[in-house]
Amino acid sequence: MTDTSEASAPSARTIIITGGSDGIGAAAARALSRTGASVVIVGRSAAKTAAVAAPLGADSFTADFASLDEVRALAATLLERYPRIDVLANNAGGIMGKRVLTVDGHEKTFQVNHLAPFLLTTLLTDRLLESHARVINTASVANSVYARFDIDDLDASAKYSPNRAYGNAKLANILFTRELHHRYHEQGLTTAAFHPGVVATSFSSNSTSVMRFIYQTPLKRMLITPEQGADTLVWLATAPLDEWISGEYYDKRLVAKANKLAYDPALAAALWERSGAMVAATAQAAPTLE
């Protein structure tokens, strides 16, 4: 993991955005920077992340969410650098191609979209609670369209397709949001998941899914802009807390209907426990900063 951080104004709200080097993450970073917030951008590509951060005067870090050790190192660095975290936007993710296991032994779609942000959030939980923070999770309408969720096969070893794996991961984002609210809202944390819309970005560029024919062909001109896709994220990060409901799933700033499984509290609790066990099984000591 690398970083290009500098000292930030202590009075500014600190907003961390993962997946901030492109698409709606980059658009959100630019919009939130204009509010006077101290934006911290996390991306996988050092060059792309720095290119977004530099014009904003923002801190930036790189971490590959296909490695949980890199997520642990990122969390350790964020805790050392930022005594307050006002917003954590878990935006990194994507749809993959054929089934591939990460270095941690997990199906890549599930790890990058769910396990990595789950781990990052739980490692930062004490700081988030101290800060009365907001946790915003980028989900997708795919949770309703493609998910065929099996709590006993989270790594999709029995049945796999790129769309199904992505839908399951996005449903996991919403279940995580609801359980995060259940566990910590009374301690001051607020959280929401949202669907950004079908956005003209590099999403699905490495996928074999049929979605790539929309995102990577002239049909892309029919999609909304990254700025439009980032609107709900920016709203959740900045609106007064009485304007939205913690624990809910949003689309275009309105509470939206998710997959019926998203409203199963027992499933949300079970996913939390399974996720914790999955990330703990690969845990090593996080590297210390030089």
Side-chain angles (χ1 to χ4, degrees), residues 22 44 48 94-97 201-209 211-212 215-216 220:
D22 197 1
R44 185 165 59 92
K48 291 173 66 176
I95 189 168
M96 312 303 170
T201 68
S202 59
F203 176 85
S204 84
S205 59
N206 296 317
S207 175
T208 58
S209 166
M211 287 188 189
R212 73 188 187 279
Y215 287 92
Q216 306 302 323
K220 186 174 182 178

Side-chain angles (χ1 to χ4, degrees), residues 7 15 30 68 84 141 149 155 178 188 198 201 238 243 248 266:
I15 301 178
R30 289 188 285 267
L68 295 180
R84 180 179 180 87
V141 72
F149 201 79
D155 282 322
R178 296 185 70 82
V198 186
T201 68
T238 59
E243 290 189 10
E248 292 293 343

Side-chain angles (χ1 to χ4, degrees), residues 1 32 71 77 110 115 124 128 189 196-197 212 224 240 242-243 249 268 271 278 286:
M1 187 195 73
L32 290 166
V71 177
T77 301
F110 188 70
L115 285 179
L124 298 178
L128 296 170
L189 184 145
R212 73 188 187 279
I224 66 174
D242 61 3
E243 290 189 10
Y249 166 63
L271 176 63
M278 291 169 81

Side-chain angles (χ1 to χ4, degrees), residues 27-275:
R30 289 188 285 267
L32 290 166
S33 182
R34 290 193 291 270
T35 71
S38 176
V39 176
V40 181
I41 301 172
V42 179
R44 185 165 59 92
S45 163
K48 291 173 66 176
T49 304
V52 174
L56 306 179
D59 293 350
S60 67
F61 303 87
T62 58
D64 185 349
F65 279 18
S67 167
L68 295 180
D69 276 349
E70 292 202 24
V71 177
R72 294 183 183 98
L74 171 65
T77 301
L78 295 174
L79 288 172
E80 179 165 307
R81 300 293 177 89
Y82 304 105
R84 180 179 180 87
I85 299 173
D86 295 278
V87 179
L88 172 62
N90 288 314
N91 175 67
I95 189 168
M96 312 303 170
K98 65 180 182 179
R99 183 176 183 271
V100 174
L101 297 183
T102 67
V103 294
D104 303 289
H106 301 302
E107 192 276 314
K108 188 176 182 180
T109 314
F110 188 70
Q111 176 164 322
V112 171
N113 287 276
H114 170 67
L115 285 179
F118 170 86
L119 177 60
L120 180 62
T121 305
T122 54
L123 290 173
L124 298 178
T125 294
D126 288 346
R127 185 63 43 83
L128 296 170
L129 291 175
E130 292 166 2
S131 307
H132 287 193
R134 308 179 187 199
V135 178
I136 304 166
N137 298 314
T138 302
S140 168
V141 72
N143 84 87
S144 293
V145 178
Y146 297 121
R148 301 292 184 273
F149 201 79
D150 184 350
I151 191 68
D152 295 316
D153 188 26
L154 295 175
D155 282 322
S157 59
K159 293 182 180 180
Y160 176 85
S161 76
N163 287 352
R164 176 174 175 156
Y166 181 68
N168 286 341
K170 296 293 102 178
L171 175 55
N173 293 153
I174 301 172
L175 287 164
F176 170 53
T177 299
R178 296 185 70 82
E179 183 66 9
L180 189 66
H181 167 84
H182 172 72
R183 289 174 179 244
Y184 296 116
H185 183 62
E186 290 187 357
Q187 298 179 52
L189 184 145
T190 52
T191 182
F194 77 101
H195 169 55
V198 186
V199 185
T201 68
S202 59
F203 176 85
S204 84
S205 59
N206 296 317
S207 175
T208 58
S209 166
V210 293
M211 287 188 189
R212 73 188 187 279
F213 294 112
I214 298 175
Y215 287 92
Q216 306 302 323
T217 71
L219 292 172
K220 186 174 182 178
R221 289 176 294 183
M222 301 170 58
L223 309 184
I224 66 174
T225 66
E227 289 71 24
Q228 291 171 315
D231 176 73
T232 299
L233 190 164
V234 173
W235 174 70
L236 289 167
T238 59
L241 290 176
D242 61 3
E243 290 189 10
W244 57 272
I245 303 169
S246 181
E248 292 293 343
Y249 166 63
Y250 281 82
D251 183 8
K252 297 178 182 177
R253 301 192 181 190
L254 298 173
V255 173
K257 186 176 181 179
N259 188 304
K260 64 181 181 180
L261 293 177
Y263 306 101
D264 183 342
L267 183 61
L271 176 63
W272 185 289
E273 296 302 325
R274 296 287 182 95
S275 300

